[in-house]
Amino acid sequence: MHRPISVCVIALSATLLVSGWWMVSAGAPISYAFVNLAALIAGLVLAFAIARVPAKAALIAPAALGALALAFGPSIDGVHRWVALGGISIHATMLAGPCFAVAFQRIGGWPASLATVAFAAVTALQPDFGMALALACSVAVTLLVRRDLPTLVALACAALAAVWAAWRGDPLSAVPFVEGVMQRMASDHSPAALISLALLALATTAPALLREGRQAGGLAFAGYSVGLVGASLIGPLPTPLVGYGAAPILGYCLALGLLIRPSSATER
C-alpha cells in the first residue's frame, strides 16, 4: 500500500477512536461507536474491491444514488437524503461523494461536467448545503489543475447549487452526535476537538501527496473534504469521520480505493 494511503488509514482510525471516546463519554450510546467501527472495517474491505471498478462507474453512481434517494428514499420532514441498506439508512450523496470527487478529476471533459450538473441538482433539491459546498470545492481544486471549459461549467453549476441550498436552509433539526459535533467538543473545552481536527486534516489531505498519476485525484478529494468540514464548522451539519454515521466512513474508504489505481490513458 502506498505510504500516503497508509497514513490516511491510520489517521482515519485514530480520528474514529478519539471521537468515539468523546461521544461515549458525552453520553452517546456505545452502539454508535460500534457502528462506526463496523463501517471502517467494511470500508477498508470495499476499498480493495472498488480499486478494480472503472472510474466512469464511480462518476455515474453518485448522481444516480442521490436521485434514487430523492425518488424512493426514506423521508424526514419532506427531506430525502438516504437509501435503505439492510435496514440501515445511509446518507446517499455522502456515501458516493468522495468517489465522485476523484472520478471527476480522472475523467474530465463534458461527460464529467454533465454528471456534476446532475449531482449538483441532487444536492440543491435535497437540499444539502454541506454536500453542495463539498462538490463545489472539489471541482474548484480540479479547475486549478485542469483549466478547461467543461470544468468551469461544472464549477458554476456546483457553486449555484451551494448558494441555492444555503439560501433554502436545512429544514431538519440537528441530530445529537451527528451534526454540530465539533462545536460541542469545543464548547466542552475538550482536547478531543483539537486532536480530532488535526487527525481529520491529516486523513483528508494525505492523498494529495500521492504520485504516479494519483496526485490530482488526491487534491480533488482533499478539496471535497475541506468543503464538507468547512460546512460543518459554519453550521450544525455533519462533521465527516468525527460524528456518528457510517456513510462518511464508507465513502472515504471507497475514495481511497479509487485512488490506489493510477490514472489510465483514458482517465485524465
Side-chain angles (χ1 to χ4, degrees):
M1 187 181 290
H2 301 275
R3 184 173 296 176
I5 298 294
S6 300
V7 171
C8 288
V9 173
I10 294 171
L12 169 59
S13 303
T15 303
L16 295 177
L17 179 64
V18 172
S19 61
W21 168 82
W22 178 85
M23 286 198 298
V24 171
S25 65
I30 195 170
S31 59
Y32 284 14
F34 285 123
V35 169
N36 279 9
L37 176 60
L40 174 63
I41 295 171
L44 293 177
V45 172
L46 291 172
F48 289 98
I50 201 174
R52 301 177 180 274
V53 173
K56 289 182 179 179
L59 186 70
I60 296 170
L65 193 61
L68 182 66
L70 277 173
F72 306 106
S75 173
I76 300 178
D77 294 337
V79 176
H80 301 261
R81 296 177 186 165
W82 305 270
V83 290
L85 297 176
I88 300 176
S89 293
I90 300 290
H91 193 296
T93 51
M94 195 170 283
L95 171 65
C99 282
F100 184 90
V102 177
F104 175 81
Q105 189 283 323
R106 288 282 179 92
I107 302 299
W110 288 111
S113 180
L114 291 174
T116 302
V117 172
F119 193 18
V122 168
T123 63
L125 291 171
Q126 285 183 338
D128 191 335
F129 171 67
M131 286 304 306
L133 182 62
L135 177 64
C137 288
S138 68
V139 177
V141 171
T142 298
L143 184 63
L144 296 176
V145 178
R146 186 177 60 235
R147 298 181 179 88
D148 57 20
L149 182 59
T151 307
L152 181 61
V153 170
L155 176 59
C157 294
L160 283 174
V163 171
W164 174 263
W167 177 76
R168 288 188 64 186
D170 196 323
L172 301 180
S173 301
V175 178
F177 306 109
V178 177
E179 284 99 4
V181 175
M182 193 63 71
Q183 293 93 327
R184 186 174 171 185
M185 279 185 180
S187 66
D188 289 348
H189 304 289
S190 172
L194 288 177
I195 296 172
S196 295
L197 198 58
L199 290 170
L200 185 58
L202 179 60
T204 54
T205 57
L209 301 177
L210 287 164
R211 294 291 186 269
E212 302 174 7
R214 302 175 179 88
Q215 185 179 35
L219 286 169
F221 171 69
Y224 164 88
S225 302
V226 167
L228 200 56
V229 173
S232 73
L233 296 177
I234 294 172
L237 297 169
T239 305
L241 312 182
V242 175
Y244 165 66
I249 302 168
L250 291 171
Y252 181 89
C253 291
L254 290 173
L256 291 184
L258 201 61
L259 283 167
I260 291 174
R261 185 186 61 219
S263 301
S264 67
T266 60
E267 296 175 4
R268 300 181 185 183

